[in-house]
Amino acid sequence: MRPAHVFFFLTPFTALSASAQTLPAPHPLTVQIIDSATREPVVGAEISALRSSATKVTPRNGVLHLEVLPNGDTIRVRRLGYRPVAIASEQLGNPYVVIGLVAIPRTLSNVTVEARMGAVLSDVGFFERRRRLSGFFVDPSQMVQMHPSRTSDIFERAPGTHLSAAASGGRNIRFARAANCAPIVYIDGVLLINEPPVNRVELRSGARRTNESASDILGQQDQGIDEVGVRQIAAVEAYPTATQAPPPYNTTGSNCGVILFWTWNSVNR
């Protein structure tokens, strides 16, 4: 049987007065509870009639069968995370009704998330290195204030940093105190693949590699710093030279500089 009415109630539960008249026999009623936004059935919603002491809980399909007085009765629906509603039986003009519950918005505190991220950064030594080393540092609160649209924007005010167009469409980063080469990059302490750039090799006249484009073949490190997704970055530390980079990040190849990205994902690890 198709429902004749769909009810979407935005207001909290308020008691409705019952009729003082003689109560007639209850009528059968089929109710389906759905989420008003997703239209999916709501499992675990409690439904009861004002004139009945019994409370039923919706199963997986959100459908329940009740006995309701046609007049002077009230259907009450409650579910954690949704606004409770009450419906006077006089409004139920059909034996099958669908009730849409409105979810209560849940707002997470940014302070809580930043506090957890601060604990992660403390554990990995971020704040200790910022106190004693001369690198470039951006903490989570600074990242929020900066609100960069791409990762290279973070380094626009970093001392001794040069940004240039990358083949990928983003920007390359180079440190003035290092050779003209890409710095090595770590994400949450894990080294990003760092291949040396490979230049097109001159072959004998008329020869050409089948997988070679007209431009130079580029290694992973020349794809540009914007290949790292900026929305996941919670904090940054950068060291222009190998001597400035702390162990264990001052390994072979760090003479081009070292960049450490710490992501929001590390909070959930």
Side-chain angles (χ1 to χ4, degrees):
M1 181 182 297
R2 297 178 62 85
H5 303 284
V6 177
F7 296 93
F8 297 106
F9 291 90
L10 304 179
T11 57
F13 166 76
T14 54
L16 301 179
S17 61
S19 172
Q21 299 175 355
T22 303
L23 299 179
H27 291 180
L29 177 69
T30 300
V31 181
Q32 183 179 29
I33 307 300
I34 65 172
D35 184 296
S36 62
T38 66
R39 311 287 294 185
E40 294 294 326
V42 175
V43 182
E46 295 184 354
I47 306 177
S48 63
L50 185 63
R51 296 295 181 178
S52 173
S53 59
T55 298
K56 295 187 176 182
V57 179
T58 53
R60 187 179 299 274
N61 62 0
V63 177
L64 279 178
H65 304 284
L66 302 173
E67 293 287 332
V68 181
L69 297 176
N71 296 294
D73 208 345
T74 304
I75 302 299
R76 297 174 297 184
V77 183
R78 295 177 180 273
R79 175 67 166 87
L80 185 65
Y82 292 88
R83 293 192 177 108
V85 297
I87 311 168
S89 58
E90 288 82 357
Q91 296 178 268
L92 306 175
N94 192 277
Y96 188 104
V97 294
V98 178
I99 301 174
L101 297 184
V102 178
I104 299 174
R106 291 178 292 178
T107 303
L108 298 178
S109 170
N110 290 333
V111 175
T112 301
V113 175
E114 288 185 21
R116 292 177 59 193
M117 190 65 220
V120 171
L121 292 176
S122 180
D123 290 341
V124 298
F126 175 89
F127 297 110
E128 174 63 23
R129 289 191 292 271
R130 186 170 65 173
R131 281 192 294 268
R132 62 183 180 84
L133 300 179
S134 58
F136 171 70
F137 295 86
V138 180
D139 62 31
S141 62
Q142 292 170 321
M143 280 292 297
V144 172
Q145 293 174 359
M146 189 181 297
H147 194 63
S149 59
R150 54 182 176 175
T151 301
S152 59
D153 293 345
I154 301 171
F155 300 93
E156 285 187 340
R157 297 184 181 180
T161 300
H162 176 67
L163 297 170
S164 61
S168 62
R171 290 192 288 183
N172 286 322
I173 183 171
R174 299 290 186 267
F175 292 118
R177 296 181 60 183
N180 185 22
C181 54
I184 60 175
V185 176
Y186 290 83
I187 298 179
D188 292 333
V190 178
L191 178 65
L192 193 66
I193 295 175
N194 183 45
E195 301 172 356
V198 180
N199 294 325
R200 184 171 54 183
V201 178
E202 295 297 331
L203 304 178
R204 66 180 182 277
S205 178
R208 182 179 177 85
R209 291 179 183 149
T210 57
N211 63 344
E212 184 176 286
S213 64
S215 60
D216 290 347
I217 299 172
L218 298 175
Q220 178 70 30
Q221 65 175 355
D222 272 346
Q223 293 305 302
I225 199 67
D226 291 319
E227 292 297 304
V228 180
V230 69
R231 294 293 170 247
Q232 294 298 319
I233 299 173
V236 179
E237 46 188 306
Y239 306 92
T241 65
T243 56
Q244 289 177 285
Y249 306 111
N250 56 355
T251 56
T252 302
S254 58
N255 56 309
C256 296
V258 178
I259 297 175
L260 308 181
F261 290 113
W262 303 103
T263 71
W264 294 108
N265 290 337
S266 61
V267 173
N268 300 318
R269 292 188 175 187

